Amino acid sequence: MSAVPFEKPPTAQEAVLAELRRMLVTGELAPGSPVRQEALAERLGVSRVPLREALKVLEGEGQVVYAAHRGYVVAELSVDDLVEVYRLRELLETEAVRRAVEQLTDDDVAALQAAASEVDVADRTGDVALITAANRRFHFLLFDLAGMPRLTRTLRQLWDATDVYRSVYFAERANRDRIHDEHLALVDALARRDAGAAVAAQDAHRAHSVAAVTAALEARG
Amino acid sequence: MSAVPFEKPPTAQEAVLAELRRMLVTGELAPGSPVRQEALAERLGVSRVPLREALKVLEGEGQVVYAAHRGYVVAELSVDDLVEVYRLRELLETEAVRRAVEQLTDDDVAALQAAASEVDVADRTGDVALITAANRRFHFLLFDLAGMPRLTRTLRQLWDATDVYRSVYFAERANRDRIHDEHLALVDALARRDAGAAVAAQDAHRAHSVAAVTAALEARG
DNA sequence: CTGGTGAATATTGGATCCAATCTGCTACGG
DNA sequence: CCGTAGCAGATTGGATCCAATATTCACCAG
């Protein structure tokens, strides 16, 4: 009985949800495009039922919008929406960092350092999806340390909403280089339990991101 | 063709969702109790499919928790959870008020005054459900004026999460009396475009609420 | 008496089928 | 030529049925 920590999908709806999230991040499901349930379900090898349940979750998160008898459409973010998301992130992430700093152990700091290194490792592969995932793990490791589950959940929704658009940020070599330094500065501030500096580092991090993404968004119209 | 603004339920899942929300607020679906799909569906006069879709929405909002093959359970809030929700509300509602004040018109102020009066009207009926609803309309009218849809949505989720517990607050005569004064103070500050005072009024409002609800929660254990 | 093993039951998960609604095209009248 | 009514196809919404999993309880070994 090899009790290997083997990943398995217990239900189809969860597998579908995970796959839909992936398709949203990669842009396979592009913003504004309608979701054809039958075709998508067939492609995923399931019936429409688990697909619809997964879509309901995404609807609750605002990733897709639903209209009765007209189905689901992949949510489209305007520049205003994007700016709003980043403003909310600022408010909530500031809280998260301040709380986390209060109860940060040395082990936590070490774990954060390790997570930051993982981002560098992913960076060297050049795979945008890997980088995005590693970056996310790093930041949410920190958020989780605040010990506020609802805060983490809300932040996850906000991050999810802009995942597609953030990819363009990671696609740029210059941005990826800057991330390394910014993460380093953040971990450094945390190691010193300097909440103010940590918040400042996060703010800078976000500011770069939002600037790049809005620029990209306005470019295409 | 009488184009009467007649209420109609476009889909069963929406009707079910609305009914489930009502049952959650009234405690008909009590925190911690499992959701028996077949029985509940039959009681609502629908099959399990639309019920399950409605439950997925509530799951996304954290109103129920889901475990694969074990079903849904009505979410239970610990005191810590409750304190967290109120802290998040403080952060987000402060932002909402500050933004709203920036672009408040005289008509908006008048509408807020009217909404506050509605709360008084509901108050005189003594019906806790009516009071809760009127109170909610008043506050969200203000939040909406910030022009930040995601912020409003997040706040709605936070309010929903604690609706059941807030009922105990409104059940107390003394608390209801205080609400009138607090709303008056808030509208007054808004009419003067005094963001600081408005935020302070809201903070006081919340502080009373959280104190009452935590007390009630700790009392029963 | 305790612990575990197995079958029986209850409950959830998913697929298929049918009904309801929407969309696009066509034809007709102005 | 333009607008509209209506029909046909496409798509979603919901109900029923079956499969998969979990839970309960009886039974037995120790």
Side-chain angles (χ1 to χ4, degrees), chain B residues 3-84:
Chain B
V4 188
F6 191 52
E7 281 306 319
K8 56 157 187 177
T11 78
Q13 43 179 289
E14 289 184 41
V16 167
L17 181 57
E19 180 64 8
L20 288 182
R21 287 193 198 283
R22 194 194 59 74
M23 291 172 83
L24 285 168
V25 173
T26 63
E28 224 161 321
L29 284 176
S33 65
V35 177
R36 296 279 167 250
Q37 295 178 12
E38 188 123 29
L40 189 52
E42 186 179 17
R43 190 185 141 177
L44 298 176
V46 297
S47 83
R48 277 173 49 217
V49 175
L51 171 60
R52 271 159 60 179
E53 300 202 19
L55 284 169
K56 270 279 172 267
V57 174
L58 294 176
E59 183 200 354
E61 294 177 2
Q63 295 262 81
V64 300
V65 296
Y66 168 76
H69 295 116
R70 231 170 296 179
Y72 299 85
V73 175
V74 180
E76 227 166 343
L77 258 61
S78 66
V79 173
D80 283 351
D81 289 329
L82 197 92
V83 170
E84 183 185 349

Side-chain angles (χ1 to χ4, degrees), chain A residues 35-37 48 52 66 68-71:
Chain A
V35 177
R36 298 275 168 252
Q37 296 178 12
R48 279 173 47 216
R52 271 160 59 179
Y66 168 78
H69 297 117
R70 232 170 296 178

